[in-house]
Amino acid sequence: MLKTTLDKWGRLTAEQRQAIDFTQSKWALTQKLQSFCEENEVTLTRLAELEMIHVIENPNQGMWYTFQLLDPEDDAQSLELSEFKQQFKCHLSELLRQVSVKIKKHTDEAVWIRIAWGGSFSKPNHLKPTYVVHHLQTPYFFVRNLTSKLKPLLSQALTLATRHQGVKEANLSGRNLASIRDLLMRQYQHVFPTKYPSPHDEEDQPVLNQHIEKEQGHVATHRRRMAREVFGDGTLPQLQSAVYKLDTKFKDPSNRTMTEREDTFKCVVKFSSTNLLESLRSCASSGIASAPVTPLLSSIPLKGRNYFVVTDNTPGPSSQRH
Amino acid sequence: MENTSTNGVLTHLSLLEVRALSRGGPEPQRSRVRELRGEAEELRGVRDQLEAEIRARKRLQELRSSADPPAGELLPLMRRHSDLKQRLHVHHLIGGFDAVRTRQGRAVCVFVQTAYEGVFLETFNMELELKPRVQIGRHNIPPFIPLQSLAEQSHLQTDAGAFLSMLSQHLNAFVGRRRQLQLVQEQHRSVEVMESNLLCSVLVLLFTAPPEKTALLCTLKYADLGSCLPGQVHLDCEDSRLPESPEWRSCCDTLRKTPLHRALAGMKKSRMIL
């Protein structure tokens, strides 16, 4: 992995690359690389390039947060990469003088931006860079390692550079960048009701008991189909958690003291899993989650978010994604 | 004497114990099992009875509803049947959309098939909710297709058909542009793709022109997202006179009017590019 990254970086000579023994300890490797970099007089920006290549190859470290751009202007559709790059760098340096920006286009049409932030009098800090991933002409961008202080600056620069008029948090976060991107781009296997059920629909489930199968068989098939319609088929994008922040009145007829309170009952419910959508799908298909699947759960793939605030005044989640 | 009396009591007790043990365990269980088996038999009997009743009623209903049409009416029925089949075929030919009613008739799920140059590509699905008003529901259309503005432009509320045909046009155009790019990457490896985007609305290609391997940068902009052909073609070269030459101007024209992979094949043939 390190070898391919170094090869891609291309700042070491062939002899130097040959001389590196990848079985050595981390400390020994670091020392060797450091000496090579000093030998080649590698600048800080070139080193930043190396880090960026590594992060692009291994994006699933740290938490990615999603933002959504709103109200595109008429010429947002025809935005070219070169214009975007120039505008973004220009806007960001207007907002904050000391900032170091690197923009790279990846093969899957993703634009990667690495930003090292400085202060009014301090140079950019390359040890804590922010990474942004955006696909042009889509309304979403993904951010890693951004402090809340710098969020408005980044949002403004991106909104202006992509020719939109607003930005908001999209309430979707996860460790796996490809998964949250696939969820929003709808790049997973959807299942829609069809007149012509494919042979796949009637796959053989192991029949455990003939009697149960005879009575409950069609109910189970119906449940499985509904679960697949809500969550999708095949491999699902990996989400690690879903958080529901409740701010509703307590409703339990058997507990009068709590129900009679005037204030709302605030609580936070968090579901965690290595692959949350797979777990929810198997909950729905095995009957643990009641069918039809509640909008609270089906909103996760439908709206592409995993953070919800539920109050008594919110009407049931509508089926439109804004 | 004491021994005999205590022995007697003890043996008596042990006899009672043995009897109790041999009687106690399996007996209540066995009878309970028998009871349950009996109940199950009864229930099965009731169920079979109910099923038979349902079958009988269904048969009665069928018999009531199906009345053999008198022979004179058979021919017109057959004619009507073939007429309906033809209509369906025509509807399909003019771009009829396969639609399925879902959620007890409250929504319609539409399938939009896309194809380019006779090759079927992706199918997109969209659920349209009908009540309280026509709304876009669940779908698997990527977010760079501007659904909301399409819905507004075609007045989805009043004319769902117009919206669907516009959507189909956009999706087919998108899929067509993407396919053209794929074909270019497969068939014309000498042409380098410098820039592209997910929507396939902007394409920058690097040509190498034969005599001195001059590099030419060609920018294709597809302003009309409902079309597979670029609205704007722009050439950049170090030698600024080259793009102005009549041959390159006609190449620009070809690029504007012909699908990309075929235009490039033509340009290669006439030795405009390598």
Side-chain angles (χ1 to χ4, degrees):
Chain A
M1 193 171 71
L2 181 57
K3 186 170 190 309
T4 41
T5 315
L6 286 173
D7 288 341
K8 267 201 184 144
W9 187 44
R11 300 279 167 199
L12 299 178
T13 63
E15 297 93 21
Q16 285 171 330
R17 271 181 278 148
Q18 293 268 351
I20 299 178
D21 177 10
F22 290 98
T23 57
Q24 284 180 317
S25 72
K26 191 165 152 186
W27 187 86
L29 264 177
T30 324
Q31 292 290 82
K32 195 135 203 182
L33 280 171
Q34 194 177 336
S35 63
F36 283 155
C37 291
E38 281 168 6
E39 213 177 284
N40 298 359
E41 288 174 14
V42 169
T43 59
L44 199 54
T45 41
R46 299 278 178 252
L47 279 178
E49 245 177 53
L50 176 63
E51 188 202 62
M52 198 165 173
I53 296 174
H54 176 76
V55 171
I56 296 178
E57 300 283 306
N58 310 285
N60 299 337
Q61 289 160 359
M63 251 341 217
W64 291 92
Y65 295 89
T66 319
F67 290 82
Q68 186 177 354
L69 295 158
L70 305 165
D71 303 322
E73 287 165 24
D74 295 327
D75 50 357
Q77 288 284 354
S78 53
L79 181 64
E80 273 182 59
L81 180 63
S82 41
E83 289 166 350
F84 168 73
K85 277 161 99 154
Q86 189 225 5
Q87 289 285 305
F88 179 71
K89 286 186 176 163
C90 182
H91 285 299
L92 197 60
S93 31
E94 264 174 44
L95 292 169
L96 188 66
R97 199 140 302 173
Q98 292 279 14
V99 69
S100 164
V101 179
K102 250 193 172 354
I103 305 185
K104 215 169 159 27
K105 179 101 177 292
H106 196 48
T107 43
D108 60 355
E109 311 295 354
V111 181
W112 280 76
I113 309 174
R114 179 188 188 274
I115 308 167
W117 306 91
S120 338
F121 301 106
S122 53
K123 293 195 110 175
N125 180 358
H126 282 278
L127 292 175
K128 294 205 176 120
T130 303
Y131 280 93
V132 181
V133 180
H134 175 59
H135 290 259
L136 290 177
Q137 277 85 43
T138 62
Y140 304 105
F141 62 92
F142 310 98
V143 181
R144 192 176 95 175
N145 206 15
L146 179 69
T147 58
S148 42
K149 200 176 72 156
L150 297 163
K151 198 172 12 176
L153 299 176
L154 178 65
S155 312
Q156 189 170 347
L158 265 171
T159 317
L160 289 170
T162 53
R163 300 185 187 153
H164 283 77
Q165 287 175 28
V167 68
K168 69 169 188 185
E169 295 207 14
N171 295 317
L172 177 66
S173 61
R175 289 186 173 276
N176 192 322
L177 177 65
S179 290
I180 54 177
R181 192 199 50 209
D182 287 346
L183 189 66
L184 288 172
M185 303 288 189
R186 300 185 160 101
Q187 291 276 71
Y188 57 96
Q189 250 180 305
H190 291 254
V191 175
F192 285 88
T194 163
K195 270 190 289 211
Y196 317 108
S198 59
H200 173 70
D201 284 357
E202 290 130 24
E203 64 186 51
D204 300 300
Q205 298 279 328
V207 172
L208 298 163
N209 184 327
Q210 287 288 352
H211 299 296
I212 298 177
E213 184 61 31
K214 193 167 150 203
E215 304 296 331
Q216 299 284 320
H218 60 278
V219 171
T221 322
H222 178 68
R223 260 201 326 249
R224 276 196 298 270
R225 188 166 50 84
M226 274 212 326
R228 280 169 55 228
E229 270 185 29
V230 169
F231 293 106
D233 213 0
T235 336
L236 297 177
Q238 279 181 33
L239 286 182
Q240 288 77 36
S241 65
V243 173
Y244 296 86
K245 197 166 148 193
L246 300 173
D247 191 8
T248 52
K249 281 215 63 169
F250 195 91
K251 287 188 191 96
D252 182 4
S254 57
N255 188 341
R256 290 192 59 195
T257 10
M258 289 299 287
T259 320
E260 278 167 11
R261 270 195 178 184
E262 283 295 320
D263 326 327
T264 52
F265 180 71
K266 293 186 170 56
C267 84
V268 174
V269 179
K270 181 170 176 180
F271 293 91
S272 307
S273 166
T274 42
N275 191 334
L276 185 72
L277 290 175
E278 291 260 8
S279 330
L280 290 176
R281 182 175 64 180
S282 59
C283 275
S285 64
S286 60
I288 297 174
S290 57
V293 181
T294 158
L296 287 170
L297 289 179
S298 62
S299 296
I300 302 176
L302 187 65
K303 290 186 162 187
R305 48 189 291 187
N306 63 353
Y307 176 79
F308 299 89
V309 175
V310 184
T311 64
D312 280 324
N313 299 328
T314 44
S318 69
S319 52
Q320 259 188 339
R321 183 192 296 183
H322 300 289
Chain B
M1 232 173 5
E2 269 182 8
N3 285 350
T4 47
S5 58
T6 37
N7 278 350
V9 171
L10 282 176
T11 43
H12 191 66
L13 278 175
S14 58
L15 274 173
L16 284 172
E17 191 184 324
V18 167
R19 216 184 295 162
L21 278 175
S22 66
R23 201 188 302 169
E27 279 302 319
Q29 278 196 20
R30 266 189 240 136
S31 60
R32 178 85 186 123
V33 168
R34 254 183 264 132
E35 272 177 41
L36 287 171
R37 282 223 183 96
E39 267 190 57
E41 278 299 326
E42 272 182 44
L43 285 169
R44 271 197 214 108
V46 172
R47 182 200 64 189
D48 289 333
Q49 221 180 356
L50 287 169
E51 274 183 11
E53 253 181 66
I54 293 173
R55 275 198 298 269
R57 281 189 196 227
K58 266 199 189 149
R59 226 176 293 146
L60 265 176
Q61 265 195 344
E62 275 170 38
L63 283 174
R64 271 196 218 126
S65 54
S66 76
D68 282 317
E73 290 188 27
L74 199 56
L75 270 175
L77 268 179
M78 282 173 66
R79 211 179 300 143
R80 187 162 158 72
H81 173 75
S82 66
D83 178 36
L84 281 172
K85 270 178 84 170
Q86 266 186 3
R87 276 185 181 217
L88 206 64
H89 181 65
V90 169
H91 167 76
H92 204 75
L93 279 177
I94 58 172
F97 298 98
D98 276 328
V100 171
R101 292 212 122 187
T102 59
R103 296 212 244 144
Q104 290 99 31
R106 288 199 306 263
V108 175
C109 190
V110 185
F111 310 85
V112 179
Q113 269 282 16
T114 54
Y116 184 66
E117 292 193 331
V119 177
F120 270 110
L121 298 161
E122 273 172 80
T123 310
F124 294 96
N125 306 278
M126 173 187 285
E127 222 173 68
L128 280 174
E129 290 181 18
L130 303 172
K131 298 180 174 103
R133 54 195 179 95
V134 186
Q135 275 189 77
I136 299 174
R138 196 162 75 93
H139 62 85
N140 67 348
I141 296 174
F144 42 80
I145 306 276
L147 275 181
Q148 284 300 117
S149 68
L150 279 179
E152 279 162 31
Q153 269 178 34
S154 56
H155 307 292
L156 172 62
Q157 300 303 319
T158 44
D159 193 356
F163 166 70
L164 286 174
S165 57
M166 250 183 114
L167 178 66
S168 166
Q169 190 191 9
H170 262 81
L171 287 172
N172 273 288
F174 158 64
V175 156
R177 292 195 299 269
R178 194 177 61 181
R179 181 82 185 127
Q180 283 177 48
L181 181 59
Q182 273 173 0
L183 288 169
V184 164
Q185 284 169 327
E186 280 170 28
Q187 295 170 2
H188 305 283
R189 288 182 197 242
S190 54
V191 174
E192 207 181 313
V193 178
M194 304 296 289
E195 189 185 320
S196 56
N197 62 351
L198 279 180
L199 182 53
C200 298
S201 60
V202 171
L203 199 54
V204 179
L205 303 169
L206 187 64
F207 297 147
T208 341
E212 285 116 33
K213 294 207 176 167
T214 351
L216 276 140
L217 211 62
C218 178
T219 311
L220 297 135
K221 283 201 183 180
Y222 298 79
D224 178 12
L225 293 174
S227 154
C228 287
L229 295 170
Q232 230 187 5
V233 177
H234 184 73
L235 284 171
D236 273 309
C237 185
E238 260 183 19
D239 175 6
S240 53
R241 293 166 304 161
L242 195 58
E244 300 297 314
S245 64
E247 299 93 11
W248 277 107
R249 275 177 188 262
S250 74
C251 277
C252 279
D253 267 339
T254 328
L255 284 167
R256 260 193 291 268
K257 294 185 195 142
T258 341
L260 191 57
H261 53 294
R262 276 191 249 142
L264 290 181
M267 281 160 75
K268 268 191 180 171
K269 215 172 181 181
S270 54
R271 299 191 148 271
M272 293 299 297
I273 57 168
L274 285 173

